[in-house]
Amino acid sequence: MNLTIAPRTSVASVAMGLIASGYDLYDRQDQEVEALCRRVRDVFADDRELIAYFSRARTGGNAVNPYWPRGSDALIAAWFMENHTLHCDWDAYTASQDRAHSTAPAQRRETMRWLEDLPGWAAQVLPRAQQHGLLAELAALEQARSAGWQDALLTCRQFLARQADVPLAPRHILFCPSLLMAPQLTDMAHDGNYLVVIAASPRMASLVHEVFHDVVHARLARMPREALQRLTDSADRQKLSALGYAWGTDEDSSLRMAEESCVRVLCCLTMSRDGTQAAGCLDALRAEGFAVPDHLFTRRTSYPLRLSEALDILGLHFQ
């Protein structure tokens, strides 16, 4: 598994547009990031139309992230923009989003209508961000933190080499830093043979989570509907809807609930150091509404599990 740092000017430009409009989920305890965000807001304070456009990313429809899904989708779309022209490869973006099944089809269409204007607004952010030194300041912050990020990526690579004993695809992860975004959130895109992870920092738990999504998605796609339904029997659909992981009773919604639940359970089983930690992790998942099979709470085993063992427990260990 290859993991590489891959910053994008296009992603930084969109992030600054969001900051200009009032996005405030970034790490406010990070004084360097806080100072840069203040400068971004000052530079764009007089551009009411730009602020109005990016402010529509705040949907308020998610209990954890009021910018879901538009804020995340804007950053993912930015990944598929050319760094200088900011022309967007919408076919590649759409293919990535269709593969993710992260929102209801109607919501994806609504978000897409808003995103169509994103390249034009990002193109207005870019030259002013360059002129006022905002991009250079952000690049300096990223460079200063790159050594720590490399260490984190190495730790993740070592974990996957040790615990992920099944074929992984894709074999390449690109970490795109987005320091101005919420530190607890991670966005993911598929770009050809690359898994792109957009986040404020490369936290191992988040990187492993995204890798496991591909493992689970490929297996669930071949699972009979009845078996998929059994996987979600213990899920709390209302709680998961509030978190953005469900939206109805259709198959896409069931697939989304099952995939997110399985990925989180796999992370618990492979990353917990002992049974006590695993039980606490699984209890927390069920309390949040995720599907956790009852037999996991009575199963006695040593931790952490290898991925093949964890998949077998969930009934997902097939090629």
Side-chain angles (χ1 to χ4, degrees):
M1 176 66 71
N2 297 316
L3 296 94
T4 307
I5 299 174
R8 280 287 177 96
T9 301
S10 53
V11 172
S13 298
V14 169
M16 288 183 182
L18 290 170
I19 293 295
S21 73
Y23 181 100
D24 59 357
L25 302 184
Y26 59 88
D27 186 357
R28 305 186 75 169
Q29 302 303 311
D30 187 322
Q31 295 182 358
E32 293 176 320
V33 169
E34 175 68 55
L36 177 55
C37 287
R38 282 199 303 270
R39 289 197 60 212
V40 171
R41 288 192 292 268
D42 289 344
V43 167
F44 295 99
D46 61 343
D47 197 331
R48 293 184 178 180
E49 290 186 356
L50 184 143
I51 290 172
Y53 173 79
F54 281 101
S55 68
R56 289 195 286 275
R58 188 182 180 99
T59 63
N62 185 280
V64 175
N65 177 10
Y67 286 86
W68 175 262
R70 289 187 176 186
S72 294
D73 289 353
L75 292 174
I76 294 169
W79 171 264
F80 291 102
M81 293 180 191
E82 293 289 338
N83 265 332
H84 301 295
T85 67
L86 298 182
H87 169 76
C88 187
D89 184 343
W90 290 117
D91 289 339
Y93 166 80
T94 301
S96 178
Q97 294 299 83
D98 287 347
R99 179 174 177 176
H101 286 290
S102 57
T103 56
Q107 190 173 41
R108 286 203 295 274
R109 289 192 294 271
E110 180 186 344
T111 299
M112 189 65 205
R113 286 193 291 270
W114 175 74
L115 286 175
E116 287 173 351
D117 294 326
L118 181 65
W121 290 108
Q124 293 194 35
V125 173
L126 178 59
R128 291 176 67 181
Q130 290 173 323
Q131 177 186 355
H132 291 273
L134 300 176
L135 289 175
E137 185 174 343
L138 178 60
L141 291 182
E142 292 172 349
Q143 181 59 37
R145 300 173 191 214
S146 62
W149 291 345
Q150 291 286 6
D151 289 343
L153 293 176
L154 176 59
T155 300
C156 181
R157 185 184 299 115
Q158 292 170 337
F159 170 86
L160 291 172
R162 184 175 64 251
Q163 300 300 125
D165 57 339
V166 301
L168 299 178
R171 301 287 301 173
H172 304 277
I173 298 178
L174 299 178
F175 164 62
C176 177
S178 187
L179 271 176
L180 307 187
M181 297 293 97
Q184 72 274 23
L185 300 178
T186 302
D187 296 311
M188 176 184 71
H190 287 90
D191 188 0
N193 293 323
Y194 295 96
L195 173 64
V196 181
V197 176
I198 305 172
S201 64
R203 295 180 298 128
M204 189 178 80
S206 296
L207 292 170
V208 170
H209 179 105
E210 301 303 346
V211 171
F212 284 2
H213 262 292
D214 274 344
V215 174
V216 172
H217 184 84
R219 286 163 168 76
L220 292 183
R222 303 194 301 274
M223 180 172 282
R225 184 180 179 87
E226 297 77 15
L228 182 65
Q229 183 60 47
R230 287 195 297 273
L231 269 179
T232 58
D233 280 345
S234 61
D236 187 320
R237 192 177 294 269
Q238 184 174 357
K239 288 183 178 179
L240 293 184
S241 294
L243 294 172
Y245 296 120
W247 50 82
T249 58
D250 60 274
E251 189 169 353
D252 276 354
S253 180
S254 295
L255 181 63
R256 174 65 169 155
M257 285 196 304
E259 181 171 333
E260 192 64 35
S261 295
C262 288
V263 167
R264 289 171 183 258
V265 168
L266 289 176
C267 287
C268 282
L269 299 180
T270 59
M271 302 183 78
S272 294
R273 60 181 176 274
D274 55 40
T276 300
Q277 186 180 21
C281 180
L282 295 172
D283 277 334
L285 288 182
R286 179 166 281 188
E288 292 174 342
F290 295 101
V292 181
D294 290 335
H295 71 269
L296 293 185
F297 292 97
T298 58
R299 185 180 181 89
R300 293 183 178 275
T301 188
S302 58
Y303 291 91
L305 298 183
R306 293 189 183 276
L307 182 55
S308 62
E309 298 171 310
L311 288 167
D312 188 53
I313 289 172
L314 286 177
L316 295 175
H317 195 194
F318 51 86
Q319 299 301 318

